[in-house]
């Protein structure tokens, strides 16, 4: 090993110097960030469990040690993000999550601005009206108004659904920007939810092209047996869909032809939403 003769600093033997404290602090911050991510992951998992889940079930689904899961659930329960049911020893999403969700909904205008428009559509159709946005490879129901009929549509606000099996989802894909649409058409998982679901890639591509040509999307028992729907895009200033608006009915109440006849009404409501809602 060579020694630099130009330096005046003598060689020193002994134990290595301690590393600066900054990397240690950064490591602690990374650890905290990781735990925050895990806690948020638990909330997402609980969102898929309307009847709640035990700590052991959540631990398995999250692929986390039971001790870590239990500790995180305790913190989330203490802060109101999770409720604990002692009798069944099950955890549910807490009201704090609902409170934050309502604030998000109000911020985007989905409650105050959109709700009167959805109610007006339902008054004219007598059927459920649904407003959805895209959340990754799913559609997210952000608002819904049920019709006066006793048969209810089950897609309540907060529901995450498939894009390829729903009218709202197809509308969001078909009228996304070119790059997003191409990626979704090529890569979206096409898992069947009923025997009528589109699972062939080329068939899905053709469906999306048809939706673009006709300006609306349909669902005929592809997502849920006994239900059909029609949806139109809600456009932003760039001409891309930032939301979609649908009417959904049980198959025994309206034919597909009668449902498609509602498209002009939905398009008028979508244009009003486009003008009033904050766009993203």
């Amino acid at each position: 090993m060579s020694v630099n003769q130009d330096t005046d600093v003598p060689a020193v033997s002994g134990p290595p110097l301690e590393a600066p404290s900054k990397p240690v602090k950064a490591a602690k911050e990374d650890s905290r960030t990781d735990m925050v991510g895990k806690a948020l992951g638990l909330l997402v998992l609980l969102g898929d469990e309307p009847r709640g889940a035990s700590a052991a079930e959540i631990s398995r689904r999250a692929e986390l040690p039971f001790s870590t899961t239990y500790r995180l659930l305790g913190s989330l329960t203490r802060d109101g993000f999770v409720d604990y049911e002692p009798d069944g020893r099950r955890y549910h999403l807490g009201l704090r999550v609902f409170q934050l969700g309502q604030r998000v909904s109000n911020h985007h205008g989905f409650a105050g601005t959109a709700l009167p428009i959805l109610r007006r559509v339902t008054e004219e159709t007598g059927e459920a009206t649904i407003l959805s946005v895209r959340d990754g490879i799913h559609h997210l129901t952000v608002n819904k108004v049920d019709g006066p009929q006793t048969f209810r549509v089950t897609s309540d606000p907060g529901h995450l659904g498939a894009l390829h099996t729903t009218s709202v989802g197809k509308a969001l894909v078909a009228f996304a920007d070119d790059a997003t649409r191409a990626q979704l058409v090529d890569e979206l998982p096409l898992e069947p939810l009923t025997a009528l679901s589109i699972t062939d890639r080329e068939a899905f591509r053709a469906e999306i092209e048809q939706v673009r040509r006709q300006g609306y999307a349909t669902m005929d028992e592809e997502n849920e047996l006994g239900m059909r729907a029609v949806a139109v895009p809600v456009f932003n200033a760039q001409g891309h869909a930032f939301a979609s608006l649908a009417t959904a009915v049980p198959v025994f109440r309206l034919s597909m032809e009668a449902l498609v006849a509602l498209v002009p009404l939905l398009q008028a409501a979508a244009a009003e939403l486009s003008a009033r809602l904050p766009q993203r």
Side-chain angles (χ1 to χ4, degrees):
M1 183 175 80
S2 63
V3 179
N4 186 345
Q5 299 297 328
D6 294 332
T7 180
D8 294 326
V9 179
V12 179
S13 62
L17 295 175
E18 292 184 0
S21 59
K22 188 173 181 180
V24 175
K25 181 180 179 181
K28 288 181 178 179
E29 290 176 351
D30 288 344
S31 177
R32 291 193 190 100
T33 302
D34 187 48
M35 293 305 287
V36 169
K38 290 175 180 176
L40 292 174
L42 297 186
L43 292 177
V44 172
L45 289 177
L46 279 174
D48 293 331
E49 298 289 346
R51 291 179 292 180
S54 68
E57 292 168 342
I58 297 169
S59 174
R60 284 194 298 271
R61 287 196 58 194
E63 298 181 350
L64 291 175
F66 179 82
S67 58
T68 301
T69 303
Y70 189 78
R71 184 169 66 254
L72 289 173
L73 287 171
S75 297
L76 292 168
T77 301
R78 182 189 64 235
D79 294 334
F81 291 100
V82 169
D83 286 336
Y84 178 63
E85 177 192 334
D87 291 343
R89 296 184 178 181
R90 302 180 77 78
Y91 293 86
H92 306 260
L93 288 181
L95 287 176
R96 179 69 172 147
V97 175
F98 173 78
Q99 181 185 42
L100 292 176
Q102 289 298 104
R103 289 180 180 176
V104 172
S105 179
N106 289 331
H107 172 72
H108 287 283
F110 296 138
T113 302
L115 194 55
I117 299 173
L118 269 63
R119 283 176 177 157
R120 191 165 68 244
V121 173
T122 291
E123 286 174 1
E124 295 194 40
T125 65
E127 303 292 348
T129 308
I130 301 168
L131 181 65
S132 290
V133 298
R134 187 173 64 87
D135 184 2
I137 62 170
H138 298 91
H139 78 82
L140 171 67
T141 301
V142 292
N143 216 325
K144 182 189 76 165
V145 175
D146 279 311
Q149 312 283 355
T150 56
F151 194 97
R152 291 183 66 253
V153 174
T154 56
S155 181
D156 290 321
H159 169 76
L160 279 175
L163 291 173
H164 69 294
T165 61
T166 58
S167 62
V168 287
K170 292 176 192 176
L172 289 167
V173 173
F175 296 99
D177 62 85
D178 292 346
T180 301
R181 181 175 67 255
Q183 182 178 10
L184 290 170
V185 168
D186 289 342
E187 301 176 7
L188 194 67
L190 302 180
E191 299 175 358
L193 295 184
T194 76
L196 298 173
S197 300
I198 297 176
T199 56
D200 178 77
R201 186 68 55 186
E202 289 309 311
F204 182 58
R205 193 184 310 277
E207 177 84 355
I208 293 303
E209 287 304 314
Q210 180 178 344
V211 171
R212 286 180 59 78
R213 287 194 302 271
Q214 63 193 18
Y216 63 88
T218 61
M219 181 280 293
D220 201 0
E221 300 192 88
E222 300 155 56
N223 189 70
E224 183 180 354
L225 291 176
M227 295 298 299
R228 58 173 54 115
V230 63
V232 300
V234 180
F235 291 116
N236 61 18
Q238 291 72 44
H240 305 137
F242 71 96
S244 59
L245 184 68
T247 293
V249 302
V251 295
F252 63 81
R253 209 144 59 209
L254 280 183
S255 67
M256 182 56 74
E257 291 75 12
L259 197 55
V260 170
L262 299 176
V263 166
L265 172 64
L266 287 172
Q267 289 174 329
E272 191 173 353
L273 288 169
S274 177
R276 295 191 179 191
L277 287 177
Q279 300 176 8
R280 65 188 184 99

